[in-house]
Amino acid sequence: FRGNVQDNYLNFNEMCWRIVRIEGDSSVKIILYDSTKPCETAEGGENSFIGEGTFGYKGNSTLENPYKADYENCENDSETCMKTKFDKWLNENNFDTNLLKKDIWNLGNNSKYYDSSHHEIELKSGTFYYEEYFKLYIDYSIQLTKAFSDTIMEDYIGTLTADEVAFAGGKIWHDNINYYLYNSTKRWWTLSPFDITTFYEHRFTVSGETKTDEWDVGKGTISEQTITKTYDLRPSIVLNKDIEYVSGNGTKGNPYTVLNDK
C-alpha cells in the first residue's frame, strides 16, 4: 500500500492496524494505528506508539570503536531497549502467536559502510552513500533490504525498515503528510542504518510534525538520528497466510477483521 490510501484498515487483537504489504507467501504485514480502539472509532495519533525506546549499543565512543547499534543483545539501557519493549508489549497484550508469522526483520549491517578512520572518505565515494542514500533522496525507492540483508532477526514483532516507509510515501528531508504512515505526534525509529560519524552510528527515523531539536525536520520525513537518542516505537507484526477474514473493504468504517481472532 502506497500513498494516502484509505482501504488498508484492519481490526486485530482489539486494536486497529494498517496493512503495509502482502508478503511473497501471502502473509500480511501490518503496523499499529491505534492500540486503544477498533478502527471504526480509532484516532491514531499517540495511540500508534507503545512508548519510547532506543537501540542498545556497543563501543566506547572513539573513532576506532564508536557506538554501534545492537538491537537483539542490548548491553546498555536494557529496560528501554527496542526489542525488550516490543517483546514485553506483545506478551502483555496476549497476542495469539498461532495467528502470527515469525518474520525476518532486516536490521542492517554497519560493516557495509564503515571503514575506521577512513569512513568519511568511504562514505562520500562508496557504494552505500551513492547507490543507496541518494536513491532514497532522489526517487525514494531504496534497496536497503538487499544492501544490508546479512544482519537479520527472526521474531514475531519488529518495526519497518526505511525502504518500506519510502515505498509507502515517506521522503528523506522532504515533507509529506499525504501517506498513511504519517503521524504528526511522534518521531519513530525504523530498523535501517544510515551511517557512522566520528563517534556514533546513525539510523533512519520517521519524523512527526513538531521539531524536537535544531536538527529535526518535520511532517513525515525520513531523517537520521544517532542511536544514543530515544524515540518512539511503532510495532509491526505479520499475520499468517492461512488466517481467515470476515467481509469488509478495508475502509475505516468497514475494516478488515480477522475471523479467528479473540
Side-chain angles (χ1 to χ4, degrees):
F1 288 85
R2 304 185 183 189
N4 194 22
V5 295
Q6 299 297 322
D7 60 350
N8 65 341
Y9 288 89
L10 181 143
N11 281 331
F12 177 68
N13 207 57
E14 301 178 353
M15 302 174 187
C16 182
W17 303 77
R18 305 295 293 268
I19 300 173
V20 177
R21 61 187 173 93
I22 311 300
E23 299 198 334
D25 62 355
S26 297
S27 57
V28 181
K29 176 170 277 191
I30 58 179
I31 191 167
L32 185 65
Y33 181 72
D34 195 317
S35 62
T36 65
K37 299 177 181 178
C39 292
E40 292 86 340
T41 57
E43 300 174 353
E46 294 190 4
N47 298 328
S48 299
F49 308 98
I50 64 169
E52 294 184 335
T54 185
F55 281 92
Y57 51 86
K58 298 178 180 179
N60 59 5
S61 190
T62 66
L63 181 61
E64 291 73 24
N65 190 18
Y67 289 134
K68 295 183 182 180
D70 187 355
Y71 180 86
E72 290 189 85
N73 304 297
C74 295
E75 297 181 353
N76 305 76
D77 304 320
S78 60
E79 291 302 311
T80 61
C81 171
M82 292 172 66
K83 178 170 172 51
T84 301
K85 293 188 74 109
F86 278 142
D87 288 344
K88 181 180 179 182
W89 183 80
L90 192 77
N91 292 330
E92 287 177 344
N93 285 279
N94 300 314
F95 282 82
D96 183 356
T97 55
N98 291 316
L99 302 178
L100 305 182
K101 172 187 172 184
K102 224 173 194 182
D103 206 39
I104 301 297
W105 305 88
N106 175 30
L107 306 174
N109 186 343
N110 52 34
S111 66
K112 292 285 188 183
Y113 58 101
Y114 178 69
D115 186 22
S116 188
S117 61
H118 301 293
H119 69 285
E120 295 287 354
I121 296 174
E122 292 298 321
L123 281 174
K124 291 177 181 177
S125 61
T127 57
F128 170 76
Y129 199 84
Y130 178 75
E131 294 293 335
E132 307 306 332
Y133 170 80
F134 279 110
K135 280 184 181 179
L136 179 60
Y137 185 81
I138 295 170
D139 63 19
Y140 320 120
S141 57
I142 55 174
Q143 298 296 321
L144 282 177
T145 300
K146 180 179 179 181
F148 299 111
S149 60
D150 49 357
T151 305
I152 59 176
M153 173 191 68
E154 187 175 13
D155 203 351
Y156 287 116
I157 187 169
T159 193
L160 303 187
T161 53
D163 53 325
E164 288 174 317
V165 178
F167 288 139
K171 302 177 180 181
I172 189 166
W173 297 325
H174 286 267
D175 291 353
N176 185 15
I177 64 173
N178 295 311
Y179 70 113
Y180 71 92
L181 290 177
Y182 172 66
N183 189 304
S184 64
T185 62
K186 301 284 188 178
R187 175 197 286 273
W188 51 283
W189 286 114
T190 76
L191 294 178
S192 297
F194 174 75
D195 71 354
I196 296 180
T197 56
T198 304
F199 299 113
Y200 304 106
E201 180 177 350
H202 292 232
R203 293 256 162 169
F204 283 114
T205 64
V206 183
S207 297
E209 187 168 344
T210 304
K211 291 189 175 184
T212 57
D213 56 55
E214 62 179 316
W215 303 107
D216 201 0
V217 287
K219 300 186 178 179
T221 63
I222 302 172
S223 58
E224 48 83 20
Q225 290 290 333
T226 173
I227 57 167
T228 58
K229 297 288 185 68
T230 302
Y231 294 115
D232 278 85
L233 306 179
R234 193 170 185 182
S236 175
I237 57 178
V238 181
L239 302 179
N240 274 330
K241 62 180 180 179
D242 297 324
I243 64 175
E244 299 179 75
Y245 301 87
V246 298
S247 59
N249 60 13
T251 60
K252 192 172 186 295
N254 188 21
Y256 300 116
T257 302
V258 177
L259 182 62
N260 43 358
D261 188 10
K262 63 184 180 183

